[in-house]
Amino acid sequence: LGSVKDRAGAESEWKKLQRDFPAQLSGLSLRIQEANLGEKGTFYRIQGGGLSQDEAKAACQAITAKKPGGCMVVAR
């Protein structure tokens, strides 16, 4: 759902995403995946957990309809 430079920013962005996409993100749990990108630094990827793959695809389609490129389904 997004990627930011610090963990606190990930939590803040998650709250914003929940406001922007309440139907798609309601009841999901925030997962933050730390990604070290070498010289670019460490980024914190914002993920919503707790869906089946089919549910995640449907939610992601609804999100990308409003925010192109704003979502991708990943397996945990």
Side-chain angles (χ1 to χ4, degrees):
L1 296 167
S3 184
V4 295
K5 291 285 284 176
D6 60 64
R7 184 171 292 277
E11 293 170 0
S12 176
E13 184 66 16
W14 173 251
K15 289 176 184 173
K16 180 182 174 205
L17 288 165
Q18 286 181 307
R19 284 191 305 271
D20 292 346
F21 303 101
Q24 293 79 23
L25 301 179
S26 176
L28 299 187
S29 59
L30 170 62
R31 292 194 315 214
I32 300 173
Q33 180 187 37
E34 189 174 312
N36 184 331
L37 302 180
E39 290 182 17
K40 291 183 180 181
T42 300
F43 283 78
Y44 297 86
R45 295 176 179 157
I46 304 160
Q47 301 174 345
L51 297 175
S52 70
Q53 187 172 6
D54 288 339
E55 291 170 326
K57 285 179 183 178
C60 203
Q61 285 177 338
I63 291 169
T64 56
K66 294 181 181 179
K67 182 181 173 190
C71 184
M72 64 189 276
V73 177
V74 296
R76 179 169 183 188

